[in-house]
Amino acid sequence: MHKLWVGVFLTILLNPAFAYDDGYYSSWQSALHLLWPPKADNLIRDSERIGPYPLLSNPVDFQDGFKPRLFNLWQQVNLSKETGAICGNGSEYKFYIRRVNDNHNYLFYLEGGGACWDYESCSGQEGVRGARNPDGIPDNYIFNLNTALVSPFIFPPHYEDHPEVQNWNLVYVPYCTGDIYAGDRVEVYDDPEGINAPLEWHHNGFANMRAINAWLRDNMQQPARMMVTGCSAGGTGSLVNYHLLRRDMSPTSTAYLFNDSGPIFPALQGSEAASLPLHRKINQAWGLDNIIDYISQDLPHFSVSDLGTINSALAQAWPDDRLAHVHFQKDLNYSAYSYERFYDYIESETDVITKWSYIHELWQQDTDALTMQLDQYDNFAYYLPQFRDLNESHCASIIEFNAADIQEEGQVLSSFIADFMDPTKPLLSFKESNEQLDYDKGVNAYYLFLNKVLGAPITTNPHLYERLNPPH
């Protein structure tokens, strides 16, 4: 009998199908891949090519631009409109991949960049918080410094932060539909001034994600480990699209969701949740009902009556996955999108500090509701620092992980991410209670410079703002 158990033990030890699979190839396999790149091994089934939101391939003669033997460099992948992919202005969609030869793990990074639901916000009108890339995605977009350097997650030669995912196959998903990668509606928006022609806008983000999924199934290996992330709209898009990416890519080992600053707060219809007016608006503008109906076919706890149920639905559907949410409690970007145009007393307020305080109050209400929801699940952690004077305290994982610390807990973001990625460690949540420690850090010249580059307010520290902008 003992020989049988020895055999079972050796099988588990030696067989990656039973043991933990980190997704890395041996050195000789990695070398061979330079000459003979691994081929797709999780091809699309016929049943996946039909029905609502199918996985559709590029036509056989379509030039997608991908070179299978080109490793460790960014490549642009073009998608035919026959895949269902298209930008908001009707132009062709494209995404970027940085393939590696030594592993078959994947990081999906969904680009951030606002949202839109009317003429002003979708046309890119100056002074209106709108959507990124209203004119579509230009060629070689990934080589724009604001794109390539956006996060340590996708920038392997980063000067300080080196999360493991930098070394995986990197999939960069540009944003050009203004719908948090969740839209399924063509809208015609009239110019309220009556000067310009009506704007036809394709809220097509959900189909774009399906087309990327299909291309990867057609051209790349099945992942061992897989992480889906992004900041702001990209974080929200990660949350919305995680279930289908996770289901259809079928990673053989560990799967991760890291939503940075793209919360979908609990907001039951008929409640007084602060985000409910926003949820009603985007549901109507982007055609979310059909998408939610489709996703909820095998994610039954996700309901159109409360968009925030996506959090609990994912936690219940994927109990062995590692899920995390991160945002600053003094965010003034995503929070402004969420409330400013939906509450007259906020939109009309002329005193900046007072307006910020109104936004913070509603954001805190929603944040508290989200933490209560996530506290029910051992596989869904949160990390909520108070303030960083960079990009309106928005997006903790952009530029660098520094200054997204929670001093009272002795926590730094880089350690939280490392522990989050380690399946042997429990998922722990952290929520900072004292913003004053962050305000007291004072001026950070590097962040002041970056705020200028990013087009963000020079500071959202109320004490510094009053010093730099004294009353006349």
Side-chain angles (χ1 to χ4, degrees):
M1 189 69 177
H2 69 282
K3 292 182 179 179
L4 174 62
W5 284 111
V6 170
V8 170
F9 174 76
L10 289 175
T11 299
I12 293 174
L13 183 65
L14 299 175
N15 189 341
F18 292 93
Y20 170 67
D21 182 7
D22 67 2
Y24 286 87
Y25 298 114
S26 66
S27 56
W28 68 268
Q29 286 177 305
S30 301
L32 285 176
H33 288 161
L34 296 174
L35 297 176
W36 296 282
K39 296 182 179 180
D41 55 6
N42 184 27
L43 297 176
I44 302 170
R45 299 184 298 274
D46 289 343
S47 61
E48 296 176 289
R49 298 185 183 277
I50 58 176
Y53 307 111
L55 297 177
L56 301 177
S57 303
N58 276 329
V60 175
D61 58 350
F62 184 80
Q63 299 298 313
D64 64 9
F66 177 64
K67 298 177 177 59
R69 289 187 176 86
L70 184 59
F71 293 100
N72 299 305
L73 293 173
W74 284 107
Q75 299 190 60
Q76 178 173 299
V77 178
N78 304 309
L79 294 175
S80 166
K81 292 183 180 181
E82 293 183 42
T83 65
I86 195 173
C87 275
N89 68 341
S91 60
E92 287 190 348
Y93 187 74
K94 59 203 70 168
F95 71 101
Y96 295 85
I97 188 163
R98 184 180 184 275
R99 192 181 197 187
V100 294
N101 62 306
D102 65 348
N103 72 77
H104 56 118
N105 300 321
Y106 292 79
L107 172 75
F108 290 83
Y109 191 91
L110 279 63
E111 181 178 56
C116 74
W117 47 76
D118 54 23
Y119 183 90
E120 297 93 324
S121 56
C122 288
S123 64
Q125 183 172 311
E126 185 176 358
V128 176
R129 290 185 184 269
R132 190 167 190 155
N133 299 315
D135 299 319
I137 307 298
D139 284 337
N140 299 316
Y141 178 67
I142 192 66
F143 301 112
N144 180 315
L145 286 179
N146 287 342
T147 303
L149 306 181
V150 67
S151 171
F153 283 139
I154 63 160
F155 187 53
H158 193 271
Y159 53 85
E160 181 174 0
D161 297 309
H162 298 285
E164 183 191 355
V165 294
Q166 288 177 344
N167 304 313
W168 293 3
N169 294 281
L170 304 180
V171 181
Y172 188 89
V173 183
Y175 183 44
C176 61
T177 52
D179 55 12
I180 62 166
Y181 303 88
D184 181 27
R185 176 169 290 170
V186 179
E187 285 282 1
V188 177
Y189 295 118
D190 292 324
D191 179 2
E193 303 296 329
I195 299 174
N196 299 305
L199 175 67
E200 181 179 273
W201 191 261
H202 300 260
H203 292 296
N204 196 62
F206 194 69
N208 291 350
M209 291 302 301
R210 300 298 287 156
I212 292 171
N213 197 335
W215 186 92
L216 291 167
R217 291 276 298 276
D218 283 337
N219 293 276
M220 300 286 287
Q221 315 97 285
Q222 184 177 9
R225 291 186 286 164
M226 184 181 93
M227 177 171 157
V228 185
T229 188
C231 91
S232 192
T236 319
S238 299
L239 193 64
V240 173
N241 288 278
Y242 180 78
H243 174 68
L244 297 184
L245 276 174
R246 201 287 182 212
R247 184 195 70 186
D248 296 341
M249 292 297 292
S250 303
T252 58
S253 188
T254 313
Y256 308 85
L257 167 66
F258 189 88
N259 176 0
D260 179 5
S261 304
I264 302 182
F265 292 120
L268 180 66
Q269 294 293 329
S271 73
E272 296 182 357
S275 286
L276 188 56
L278 167 68
H279 289 191
R280 287 173 175 158
K281 168 59 73 174
I282 63 175
N283 186 38
Q284 179 275 325
W286 301 342
L288 300 185
D289 283 359
N290 292 336
I291 290 168
I292 295 173
D293 286 345
Y294 176 70
I295 297 175
S296 63
Q297 289 176 14
D298 56 0
L299 198 67
H301 299 288
F302 184 26
S303 171
V304 71
S305 65
D306 181 354
L307 301 187
T309 54
I310 185 67
N311 303 293
S312 51
L314 289 175
Q316 294 175 68
W318 302 106
D320 296 325
D321 290 7
R322 297 175 70 84
L323 317 174
H325 176 85
V326 175
H327 75 242
F328 287 101
Q329 294 177 73
K330 292 298 182 284
D331 182 295
L332 273 171
N333 184 291
Y334 195 101
S335 58
Y337 276 98
S338 299
Y339 315 124
E340 189 170 12
R341 299 180 71 191
F342 300 99
Y343 291 89
D344 290 339
Y345 74 95
I346 296 178
E347 188 169 31
S348 62
E349 179 57 58
T350 57
D351 181 74
V352 172
I353 301 297
T354 302
K355 176 176 285 195
W356 290 352
S357 68
Y358 290 155
I359 292 172
H360 288 328
E361 182 179 6
L362 296 184
W363 184 254
Q364 196 63 56
Q365 291 175 19
D366 274 340
T367 296
D368 291 344
L370 178 63
T371 58
M372 288 180 61
Q373 181 188 44
L374 299 186
D375 279 338
Q376 302 174 64
Y377 305 102
D378 292 336
N379 62 330
F380 210 141
Y382 53 82
Y383 183 92
L384 303 171
Q386 282 280 343
F387 174 84
R388 177 171 72 166
D389 209 3
L390 174 65
N391 195 40
E392 301 176 289
S393 284
H394 183 53
C395 293
S397 65
I398 65 166
I399 309 297
E400 62 179 17
F401 299 154
N402 188 36
D405 50 349
I406 299 180
Q407 295 100 305
E408 63 202 40
E409 299 278 359
Q411 289 295 317
V412 294
L413 181 60
S414 56
S415 295
F416 176 81
I417 292 171
D419 290 346
F420 165 70
M421 296 297 298
D422 185 345
T424 68
K425 294 186 176 181
L427 286 174
L428 300 177
S429 294
F430 302 93
K431 185 179 182 182
E432 188 170 27
S433 62
N434 185 358
E435 72 273 18
Q436 196 60 45
L437 294 175
D438 290 333
Y439 289 148
D440 288 346
K441 292 177 182 177
V443 176
N444 184 317
Y446 179 45
Y447 290 173
L448 295 182
F449 167 74
L450 289 174
N451 285 334
K452 279 186 169 292
V453 172
L454 295 169
I458 193 67
T459 179
T460 53
N461 179 335
H463 310 299
L464 285 178
Y465 183 87
E466 290 177 338
R467 278 172 44 195
L468 297 172
N469 298 273
H472 298 292

